Amino acid sequence: MTYIRSPQTASEQSYFAPIRSMLAKINAIVLILALSSVVKLNYVALYPGPTRDAEKLTKVDARTYSSEGSFNLTTVRLLDRPTIAEAINAAWDRESSVHPRRLFYPEDLSDTQIHQRQAAQMDQSQDAAALAALSLLGLTPCGGVVEIRSVEETAPSFQFLRAGDVVISVDGTRTMTLEELNKAVRRHPIGETMTLGVCREGAPTEFTFATTSSPSAPSKSAIGVTLGWVALPFSVKIDASEIGGPSAGLIFALAIYDLLVPEDLTGGKTIAGTGAITPEGIVEIVGGVPHKVEGAEAIKAEIFLAPISEVGEARAALESDMQVIGVRTLAEAVEVLRKLG
């Protein structure tokens, strides 16, 4: 038998309308929730990461000394391309934050290339930390870190300079960075004489010669040399395992320095911090400072060291009486810690 359903009356339509509306909303919510757990966003979510005792990660092939306190590197745990649900949770969580991915990763690099770059940055950071610490301790030639690798035969400097010379001054002014050297050289017009101080076989000496034109920028002056970093006098190895990026440089440099001096630079304190470092000992800015402060507070650190320009951001994230100190160089950090005792 076939039944034909009669059309709904107006009263029936009125009765079922709210139910249909409610079901539609439920379906929409279910769909949104389903999508929110699957669809990934072109953002990153940042969280406080683990801290590590830098001295326990560092092995120096020389006599070392123990300390009562510790130098702790701080990290940020990064969730790449979070789902909608993960991004919402991170945005609401006081200890996390969400940022456009382009601020952290170049859009033209693959995930593999990004991982390789972070690993390379960590390796470079470790080398820079070792050079900075050993230079400050006077364990590199005359304290210098920039070494001449080769000299162009056609350059006026060829009869004076040789591979292995370590640059220590320009025109009588102490010069420790590649940037300082380039600026000092380019202050001289092409063909004008200048004086370069180098360390040769452990002794400082000076040579005066004319500048030449730069092969890559013919209108700018140069001295006709290729440069690199000096070789370390002994092995310094750091096991950073899964940690990537350059931001542990300052803490690694302090840890290496502290291992090599009889005094206890920590003063028995739990010290944490962040900051990239150059081989010349210059502290450079990093990211994720508020999350690193939270990580430092979690281990009850008494002092947090940060690049001078990021001190305000670090102090704004404080929820304890931890002392935040800004530093510009490794030498400044060492001096501050000595004064704190």
Side-chain angles (χ1 to χ4, degrees):
M1 183 177 293
T2 303
Y3 294 92
I4 299 176
R5 185 180 178 183
S6 61
Q8 289 182 339
T9 64
S11 60
E12 288 176 324
Q13 291 177 356
S14 176
Y15 176 79
F16 286 109
I19 297 175
R20 293 195 188 98
S21 176
M22 182 178 66
L23 290 174
K25 290 177 180 178
I26 291 174
N27 287 335
I29 291 171
V30 170
L31 178 61
I32 291 170
L33 291 174
L35 290 174
S36 70
S37 63
V38 176
V39 176
K40 293 182 176 292
L41 303 176
N42 202 30
Y43 283 76
V44 296
L46 303 184
Y47 307 84
T51 59
R52 295 284 187 273
D53 184 334
E55 291 193 10
K56 291 181 178 179
L57 302 176
T58 305
K59 291 185 178 180
V60 180
D61 189 19
R63 182 180 180 182
T64 58
Y65 303 86
S66 59
S67 295
E68 293 297 320
S70 59
F71 285 106
N72 299 273
L73 63 91
T74 53
T75 65
V76 173
R77 184 168 63 87
L78 186 150
L79 177 61
D80 191 17
R81 295 191 181 95
T83 63
I84 296 173
E86 290 169 334
I88 291 172
N89 287 335
W92 280 99
D93 187 346
R94 182 188 59 80
E95 294 188 348
S96 59
S97 58
V98 181
H99 307 270
R101 191 175 187 273
R102 67 178 181 278
L103 299 179
F104 295 83
Y105 299 132
E107 296 180 346
D108 59 340
L109 296 184
S110 67
D111 290 347
T112 299
Q113 289 172 320
I114 288 170
H115 178 75
Q116 290 172 341
R117 190 179 74 160
Q118 288 178 327
Q121 286 175 331
M122 173 53 78
D123 290 342
Q124 292 164 6
S125 176
Q126 293 172 10
D127 293 342
L131 275 170
L134 269 57
S135 172
L136 189 58
L137 287 165
L139 297 176
T140 60
C142 302
V145 294
V146 179
E147 181 182 83
I148 294 174
R149 296 288 173 81
S150 65
V151 187
E152 294 175 12
E153 294 185 11
T154 57
S157 62
F158 181 73
Q159 59 182 310
F160 303 100
L161 304 178
R162 67 189 189 200
D165 287 343
V166 176
V167 179
I168 55 176
S169 68
V170 177
D171 299 324
T173 300
R174 181 73 172 174
T175 301
M176 288 294 294
T177 73
L178 287 171
E179 183 180 6
E180 288 173 345
L181 174 59
N182 287 330
K183 286 182 178 179
V185 170
R186 288 176 178 175
R187 279 197 292 267
H188 294 272
I190 296 172
E192 185 175 85
T193 59
M194 59 167 285
T195 300
L196 188 73
V198 301
C199 190
R200 179 177 292 176
E201 298 178 354
T205 186
E206 291 185 336
F207 299 103
T208 300
F209 49 83
T211 61
T212 186
S213 62
S214 170
S216 59
S219 63
K220 296 181 178 179
S221 55
I223 56 175
V225 299
T226 58
L227 302 167
W229 306 119
V230 300
L232 297 178
F234 46 76
S235 172
V236 178
K237 294 183 179 179
I238 298 173
D239 180 14
S241 59
E242 79 284 0
I243 302 170
S247 66
L250 170 61
I251 294 300
F252 276 134
L254 286 167
I256 294 167
Y257 186 99
D258 191 44
L259 284 168
L260 292 169
V261 295
E263 67 175 310
D264 183 353
L265 191 61
T266 69
K269 300 179 179 67
T270 299
I271 300 169
T274 188
I277 200 163
T278 69
E280 305 92 349
I282 298 172
V283 179
E284 297 182 328
I285 63 172
V286 292
V289 170
H291 305 297
K292 294 174 182 179
V293 167
E294 291 165 9
E297 289 180 318
I299 62 167
K300 302 186 185 306
E302 298 156 80
I303 296 172
F304 186 86
L305 299 171
I308 192 73
S309 61
E310 294 180 297
V311 168
E313 189 178 5
R315 287 177 178 162
L318 276 177
E319 292 192 349
S320 68
D321 58 357
M322 181 173 67
Q323 186 177 4
V324 174
I325 300 173
V327 293
R328 297 176 179 83
T329 65
L330 175 62
E332 186 177 332
V334 169
E335 185 63 25
V336 165
L337 292 175
R338 281 193 174 130
K339 288 180 179 178
L340 291 174

